């Protein structure tokens, strides 16, 4: 018999982490929320590591703000290199036809 997997939204996870930081008895809180204690500890660990971007949703990478900036800059660099290569080829083509 298979169990259906529950999916929790990011607002629920953030609220659970906030409550777990305020309370001393995490086991009791997990029972009240209807989740496993290990899941709550995992959410807390993710929140400590990634901050507000720790629960992005399906198919989105968990990234720290610094990692996001680096990824954006790498994409811009790749685009600029592609434009440069295209311009180099265009200069080569026009210089050959001018002879």
């Amino acid at each position: 018999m298979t169990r259906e997997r529950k999916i929790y939204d990011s607002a629920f996870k953030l609220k659970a982490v906030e409550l777990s930081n305020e309370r001393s008895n995490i086991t009791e809180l997990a029972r009240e929320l209807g989740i496993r204690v290990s899941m709550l500890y995992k959410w807390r660990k993710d929140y400590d590591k990634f901050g507000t971007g720790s629960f992005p949703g399906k198919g989105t990478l968990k990234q720290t703000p610094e990692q996001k900036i680096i990824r954006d800059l790498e994409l811009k660099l790749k685009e600029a290199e592609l434009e440069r290569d295209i311009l180099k080829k265009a200069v080569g083509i026009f210089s050959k036809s001018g002879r």
Side-chain angles (χ1 to χ4, degrees):
M1 192 164 142
T2 60
R3 289 178 37 178
E4 190 171 320
R5 184 175 174 187
K6 291 183 182 178
I7 299 173
Y8 301 99
D9 64 340
S10 60
F12 177 81
K13 292 177 183 180
L14 285 172
K15 189 65 176 172
V17 169
E18 289 174 6
L19 288 173
S20 70
N21 289 331
E22 294 171 1
R23 291 199 182 175
S24 59
N25 192 348
I26 294 177
T27 307
E28 183 181 318
L29 174 65
R31 222 178 283 128
E32 288 175 12
L33 295 174
I35 59 175
R36 294 188 322 263
V37 177
S38 60
M39 188 179 297
L40 188 53
Y41 277 113
K42 181 185 177 298
W43 292 347
R44 286 178 63 168
K45 187 173 105 178
D46 285 348
Y47 184 78
D48 289 340
K49 186 173 181 182
F50 298 107
T52 55
S54 55
F55 313 116
K58 290 186 174 181
T60 310
L61 296 175
K62 294 180 187 177
Q63 295 179 337
T64 61
E66 293 84 17
Q67 289 173 329
K68 183 169 175 26
I69 291 170
I70 290 170
R71 186 169 187 277
D72 292 342
L73 290 174
E74 286 174 344
L75 290 173
K76 286 180 183 179
L77 176 62
K78 190 174 184 179
E79 185 177 316
E81 287 174 343
L82 181 63
E83 289 175 1
R84 181 203 60 201
D85 292 343
I86 290 171
L87 289 173
K88 277 185 178 179
K89 287 182 182 181
V91 168
I93 291 170
F94 289 126
S95 65
K96 287 181 184 176
S97 65
R99 290 183 182 172

